[in-house]
Amino acid sequence: MKPLITVIVPVYNIEPYIERCIQSILHQTWENWELVLVDDGSEDSSGKICDKYAQKEQRINVIHKKNGGQSSARNTALEISNGEWIFFVDGDDYIASDTLEYLWKFATEKQCDFVSCAVKHIGFPGIYDSSDKEKCSVYNGKDACKYVLLGINGFSASANHTLFSIKLLKGIKFIEGHIYEDLEYMVNVCCKANRVAISTSQKYFYCYRPNNSSCYTNTEKKITDLDIIEKSIREIFRKQNPEFLPYLDKRMISNYEQVLYYLCDFKNELKLLYKPLKEWILSYKYYKTEFSKTDQIIYKCLFLNQYFFRFSMLILKY
């Protein structure tokens, strides 16, 4: 019998999108799945929609809880999941009909602890996905950890669009109450993994949502949470992989540059935070070899002023 795959979907105020997500799972070519929908204190009809589907389909399990954030919802679902494999989906996204079957076959053929597919961006202004031929690559866990930090070779700091062996996830939880939690989670997972794989096949559809609250998280919280996540990852590396610390520095420089870039849209905050954030970025160890030419130009523009920096980010990154 084919193994059970648990699909975990956190749900919070996504009434217009959740049915599309559920439907994409109901129509999977892989039939041995269970769906855990975690209603994280929704104030709209999202929870009722989840209940409606659960009444019709016994493979769907709905959990209603007080709002605790995406990490809390995922951790809650992991505690009651029965699957040998785990797949995370955001409730406002959806997946191709053969996603679970495709990833499981790939994982078993390559004997991997996890396997990721590529993401197709739907409705994102100015983002155009490449249409490369399908390619599958296998890496060891250490290389995967490096690539997650650098954001290269198809790796990203997102737990979505990846099929994980439950054995790999045991003992690992998402940090609750903070953004950027996926980065810390993926680093933890990669440090435990032996073999991982990446496919360029676009099976996960990441959908643009204009009023997504995560896009408007206040700057102080972003800075605080980045600091917490960084300290957690740095502690992991000090104990296990100190050679990865330069890659972490590179990642933090890039993350804080992104925060600084979006800060340019808020004049009052910009006056208060541009200088300390700039000094924070420049305090990290700069390893030129880990930066692309584009990133090197952006970094140098920090030494000039906010207008050069903003212009370089706008032209070269966004």
Side-chain angles (χ1 to χ4, degrees):
M1 185 177 178
K2 292 181 178 180
L4 179 67
I5 296 176
T6 299
V7 181
I8 293 174
V9 180
V11 178
Y12 179 69
N13 291 350
I14 48 173
E15 181 180 338
Y17 313 100
I18 185 59
E19 289 200 65
R20 179 182 62 187
C21 178
I22 295 173
Q23 286 287 345
S24 74
I25 296 158
L26 285 171
H27 290 94
Q28 287 297 298
T29 56
W30 184 272
E31 295 182 353
N32 194 24
W33 53 260
E34 67 172 0
L35 172 59
V36 182
L37 298 165
V38 184
D39 173 25
D40 192 40
S42 295
E43 298 169 342
D44 61 5
S45 297
S46 298
K48 292 180 180 179
I49 293 172
C50 293
D51 289 335
K52 178 186 73 173
Y53 277 94
Q55 290 171 2
K56 298 177 181 179
E57 173 56 67
Q58 62 180 3
R59 291 175 293 179
I60 297 178
N61 185 7
V62 181
I63 300 172
H64 297 280
K65 61 183 286 296
K66 291 182 179 179
N67 181 252
Q70 179 173 258
S71 292
S72 173
R74 286 170 167 175
N75 287 337
T76 299
L78 283 169
E79 289 176 3
I80 61 100
S81 64
N82 300 301
E84 296 177 47
W85 296 84
I86 303 292
F87 189 79
F88 297 104
V89 183
D90 280 349
D92 49 357
D93 299 332
Y94 62 100
I95 58 177
S97 61
D98 64 339
T99 302
L100 300 182
E101 184 171 14
Y102 175 85
L103 291 176
W104 180 81
K105 286 182 177 179
F106 192 12
T108 53
E109 286 174 5
K110 303 297 182 180
Q111 297 182 326
C112 291
D113 298 307
F114 75 75
V115 56
S116 300
C117 62
V119 172
K120 177 73 173 177
H121 291 79
I122 305 296
F124 280 81
I127 295 181
Y128 304 96
D129 297 306
S130 62
S131 55
D132 297 334
K133 291 183 179 179
E134 185 174 336
K135 179 183 176 183
C136 302
S137 305
V138 178
Y139 304 90
N140 62 48
K142 284 191 173 184
D143 284 342
C145 189
K146 171 182 174 181
Y147 298 151
V148 164
L149 289 168
L150 297 179
I152 61 174
N153 294 338
F155 287 88
S156 72
S158 171
N160 293 330
H161 65 90
T162 299
L163 184 67
F164 298 93
S165 165
I166 189 62
K167 294 177 182 177
L168 179 67
L169 302 187
K170 284 185 177 178
I172 302 178
K173 288 189 175 183
F174 290 92
I175 292 180
E176 298 186 13
H178 305 288
I179 56 176
Y180 304 107
E181 73 279 16
D182 274 22
L183 176 61
E184 196 264 358
Y185 191 81
M186 289 303 295
V187 165
N188 254 316
V189 167
C190 288
C191 284
K192 274 187 68 178
N194 291 316
R195 284 166 60 86
V196 305
I198 294 289
S199 168
T200 59
S201 182
Q202 295 173 330
K203 302 290 184 183
Y204 188 100
F205 300 97
Y206 179 27
C207 302
Y208 177 70
R209 186 152 59 99
N211 296 320
N212 188 344
S213 60
S214 65
C215 296
Y216 304 100
T217 304
N218 71 68
T219 304
E220 289 186 9
K221 178 169 177 56
K222 286 182 178 179
I223 295 171
T224 301
D225 286 0
L226 264 176
D227 186 48
I228 290 169
I229 296 300
E230 177 197 354
K231 287 177 179 176
S232 178
I233 297 174
R234 201 169 288 277
E235 189 61 27
I236 295 169
F237 287 164
R238 285 197 182 109
K239 293 178 179 178
Q240 302 177 33
N241 304 103
E243 69 273 19
F244 287 163
L245 289 171
Y247 308 129
L248 177 58
D249 282 345
K250 195 277 180 187
R251 179 70 190 217
M252 298 314 296
I253 288 172
S254 296
N255 279 353
Y256 279 116
E257 282 180 344
Q258 187 181 53
V259 172
L260 195 54
Y261 169 76
Y262 287 114
L263 188 62
C264 291
D265 287 332
F266 304 95
K267 291 183 179 180
N268 291 333
E269 287 190 30
L270 183 61
K271 289 180 181 179
L272 294 172
L273 296 174
Y274 185 88
K275 186 176 179 180
L277 259 178
K278 171 184 173 181
E279 292 175 353
W280 202 334
I281 293 170
L282 297 180
S283 70
Y284 284 95
K285 292 183 179 179
Y286 177 76
Y287 301 87
K288 186 175 181 180
T289 55
E290 304 306 331
F291 282 76
S292 66
K293 288 184 178 180
T294 294
D295 288 328
Q296 289 178 37
I297 293 171
I298 291 170
Y299 187 81
K300 288 178 180 177
C301 285
L302 271 173
F303 288 95
L304 300 174
N305 58 48
Q306 65 191 52
Y307 302 106
F308 277 98
F309 170 75
R310 171 75 169 177
F311 181 75
S312 66
M313 287 283 281
L314 185 64
I315 297 300
L316 299 175
K317 278 254 182 180
Y318 298 98

